[in-house]
Structure formats: structure tokens, C-alpha cells
Amino acid sequence: MTKDAKKDIIMRAEKLNYIYSRDTAFEHYAVKDVSFDIKNEEFIGIIGHTGSGKSTLIQHMNGLIKATSGKIFFHDTDIYSEGYDMKKLRQKVGLVFQYPEHQLFEIDVLTDVCFGPKNQGLDDEQAKERARYALSIVDIPENFYKKSPFELSGGQKRRVAIAGVLAMKPEILVLDEPTAGLDPRGRDEILDKVSQLRESEHMSVVLVSHSMEDVAKYVDRLMVMSDGRKVFDDTPKVIFRHYKELEKIGLSAPQITYIIKRLREEGLDLDEGITTIEEAREAILGLLKNNKGLDDI
Ligand SMILES: Nc1ncnc2c1ncn2[C@@H]1O[C@H](COP(=O)(O)OP(=O)(O)OP(=O)(O)O)[C@@H](O)[C@H]1O
């Protein structure tokens, strides 16, 4: 499907508010008036400073926490309506928590990944089939199946944890900082994989991240959170043009955006909308090839 093709809305949230505790005199909104939609096969990033409400917001998506007020529709059905099957929602909206390896607790990798499908009511053989498929698509080879999850590297543990959610065949995969604590290679491996899976498995992906570079490279749409509110919801390119406003809320555009800005100030004919290293490389090589604008510097 092309990026411009009409995409169906899978989830829609209207004016979500969330207050952790009403015991104190001062009601603190962890999420304040947030509305959003998630379309089929869309890759959405959520970014914001620490405590801005990202984790709280995504836990609404699979019903793990219930909004203090507001509505969420999954395939046009109100998930807060009476009798709604929350267990099913949790399988359809797979949430991978921060440091998911802390939740790997079974004796070996295969058994761990079987946990979700078994919980869905599949028998042993069906669950194993799902688990094998999920492990194969995150590139965990068969000789790892009988290993203890604790024998794996950081990146491998993450991939096994993601497989545990994929084995339930979710329509939306929600990842809370899946690359936290990984080295650059581990980070790229995870995000490249997730990006491929979005297409091959026809899933929507929601990625909570602290890295502007990562969201610039991977996501179609970015939601920026600040103090519980959604302050931007647009393509990364459009949002990064507002880098001054991002700075005011403790964020910044990707480093390359600032480098391009400096080069433009020096007179280089570069597009303001460059937000990734790859785009910068292309543009600068293009200039060198045409020797355009370089003589004057
Ligand atoms: N279990 C909780 N009880 C009370 N307040 C909480 C709880 N969890 C989070 N909060 C508060 O809710 C607000 C939003 O927190 P949240 O964890 O959603 O932010 P975040 O953007 O995910 O932060 P981080 O980037 O550090 O993960 C913060 O003020 C936080 O202190």
C-alpha cells in the first residue's frame, strides 16, 4: 500500500484524560485531552520529555488502564461499552513494555513465546506453530528455541519479547522504548525489523521513543507529548521545522536538522526539510556532483 493510499482507521481516541490518583487536593493529569487515531499499517511515533505521559497514554490503547474520561473506539466499537472483551483487545493491541526482557520468565525461548497464544486458547501444537513463526520473523534461529532467555544478548532478548507479542497476531504493535539500553547496532536491528514487520505482517506500529533520529528515520506520523497534552501530531518533517517550539518543551530536532540549517546559512542550496542522515547524504552528494553553490563558500 502506498503512503498516500486511503487507510482505514483501526483505533480512535477522543479527549482522553487520565488522573493517577484523586486522593490529593491537586489533581494531576498524566494525560490531558488527548485525541488521536491509528490507521491501518501506519507507523506512529510518540515522543516527549520524561513524565510527559507517553507510557500512560499507550496503556490506554490495549485497555490496561481505563481513561478517567474520554472514549476509545477499536474498529468503531467503544471499548468502554458494557461487555466489551478486554482480553481480546489486549491480544489485538500488543504492548511491549520498556525493558521487556524482565518479563521473560519461562524455562526456554520457545515456551516463553508460546505463553500468549496458549492464553488465547490455542492448543500446544498450534501455539508452538505460532511461536515458531513469530521467532522466525524476528530472526531468532531454531537453535535458540531451547535456550534459557537469560543466555541471550540484550538485543536477542528484546526480539524474543517482541515475538511473544507477535505470536498473538496483533493488529497494532505498541512498543515502549524498545531500544532503551541497547548499543547502536542493537537499536538499528530492532527498528529495522519492526519497520519490515509492519509491512510484512500488515500491522500498525506505535513507537514510544526518546530518539529524534529514530523517529525521523522510521515513522510516518509523530505525536509530541508535553505535560500530558498532545502538542503536535504531524509528519516528522513538518514537526522538526518547529524546532524552536520543541526546544521550549525540552526536546530538539534531529542533529542533522541543525547541521543543515547551518549549511543553509553558509549559502548551500539544501532543502530545509532534510531530517535524516540518508537524505543529507543524498542532497550533499547532489550538490557536489553539480558543484552547485559550493564555489561561493
Ligand atoms: N503509577 C503511577 N502513579 C502515580 N503517578 C504516576 C504513575 N505513573 C506515572 N505517573 C505520573 O504520570 C505522569 C506521566 O508519566 P508517564 O510515565 O506516562 O510519562 P512518560 O512520558 O512515559 O515518562 P518516561 O519517558 O520517563 O517513561 C508523570 O507525572 C508521572 O510522575
Side-chain angles (χ1 to χ4, degrees):
M1 187 188 284
T2 68
K3 277 191 178 174
D4 297 331
K6 189 174 183 312
K7 293 178 177 178
D8 298 324
I9 292 176
I10 303 182
M11 178 169 279
R12 194 172 86 244
E14 289 175 3
K15 287 197 170 293
L16 295 184
N17 283 291
Y18 190 78
I19 303 171
Y20 271 103
S21 166
R22 298 195 128 170
D23 297 342
T24 53
F26 173 68
E27 284 188 346
H28 176 71
Y29 283 85
V31 168
K32 179 78 183 148
D33 270 345
V34 175
S35 302
F36 62 84
D37 53 36
I38 300 174
K39 298 185 189 80
N40 193 21
E41 287 185 49
E42 196 173 26
F43 199 151
I44 299 175
I46 302 182
I47 213 150
H49 56 76
T50 295
S52 58
K54 305 180 295 293
S55 299
T56 307
L57 180 65
I58 59 168
Q59 289 176 65
H60 285 80
M61 293 174 180
N62 74 343
L64 209 57
I65 59 178
K66 184 172 188 280
T68 308
S69 67
K71 287 191 167 188
I72 302 183
F73 298 88
F74 184 58
H75 289 293
D76 288 331
T77 307
D78 181 351
I79 70 163
Y80 298 142
S81 57
E82 215 180 303
Y84 190 82
D85 188 350
M86 280 291 180
K87 190 174 166 207
K88 194 137 193 211
L89 178 71
R90 264 169 225 156
Q91 292 157 1
K92 291 285 166 200
V93 182
L95 206 158
V96 182
F97 291 95
Q98 275 181 43
Y99 296 97
E101 55 271 30
H102 296 161
Q103 289 162 285
L104 300 174
F105 52 83
E106 294 285 359
I107 185 141
D108 61 46
V109 165
L110 188 67
T111 315
D112 212 295
V113 179
C114 282
F115 182 82
K118 274 197 178 165
N119 220 10
Q120 279 179 306
L122 298 187
D123 68 29
D124 264 14
E125 231 3 85
Q126 289 167 325
K128 275 192 187 147
E129 201 175 303
R130 284 272 195 95
R132 282 196 202 100
Y133 178 68
L135 285 163
S136 75
I137 57 179
V138 295
D139 297 333
I140 297 288
E142 264 184 52
N143 57 324
F144 279 70
Y145 289 4
K146 289 289 151 205
K147 280 185 198 271
S148 157
F150 301 103
E151 290 174 63
L152 310 182
S153 73
Q156 287 163 345
K157 280 184 196 157
R158 292 283 160 92
R159 280 186 278 139
V160 169
I162 293 172
V165 169
L166 292 175
M168 290 186 278
K169 294 210 169 278
E171 289 179 45
I172 306 177
L173 177 65
V174 185
L175 301 152
D176 196 350
E177 296 203 46
T179 59
L182 296 182
D183 59 27
R185 212 181 100 192
R187 295 164 59 110
D188 285 351
E189 268 175 24
I190 294 278
L191 293 178
D192 285 343
K193 189 37 73 186
V194 166
S195 188
Q196 287 164 20
L197 287 176
R198 184 256 296 238
E199 287 183 22
S200 65
E201 306 305 302
H202 307 290
M203 289 182 309
S204 310
V205 177
V206 177
L207 170 76
V208 172
S209 174
H210 266 118
S211 163
M212 287 294 182
E213 275 67 24
D214 288 348
V215 293
K217 185 166 170 194
Y218 292 99
V219 312
D220 304 322
R221 185 153 71 84
L222 182 59
M223 300 202 253
V224 181
M225 299 288 293
S226 177
D227 292 330
R229 291 176 186 275
K230 187 180 78 170
V231 290
F232 286 105
D233 185 342
D234 214 317
T235 61
K237 270 192 197 315
V238 169
I239 290 176
F240 294 149
R241 286 202 197 118
H242 299 272
Y243 60 88
K244 288 210 169 104
E245 283 151 74
L246 291 175
E247 286 165 6
K248 278 188 208 148
I249 55 168
L251 302 171
S252 58
Q255 283 297 313
I256 195 70
T257 308
Y258 294 94
I259 297 171
I260 294 295
K261 183 174 164 284
R262 280 296 308 275
L263 293 173
R264 280 169 56 87
E265 283 163 7
E266 299 285 343
L268 277 193
D269 182 19
L270 290 165
D271 180 18
E272 199 184 15
I274 291 172
T275 52
T276 66
I277 302 278
E278 291 73 19
E279 288 169 349
R281 180 177 169 277
E282 285 292 305
I284 291 169
L285 283 177
L287 284 188
L288 288 172
K289 216 163 128 194
N290 301 324
N291 201 17
K292 212 172 143 201
L294 294 177
D295 291 341
D296 305 331
I297 294 170

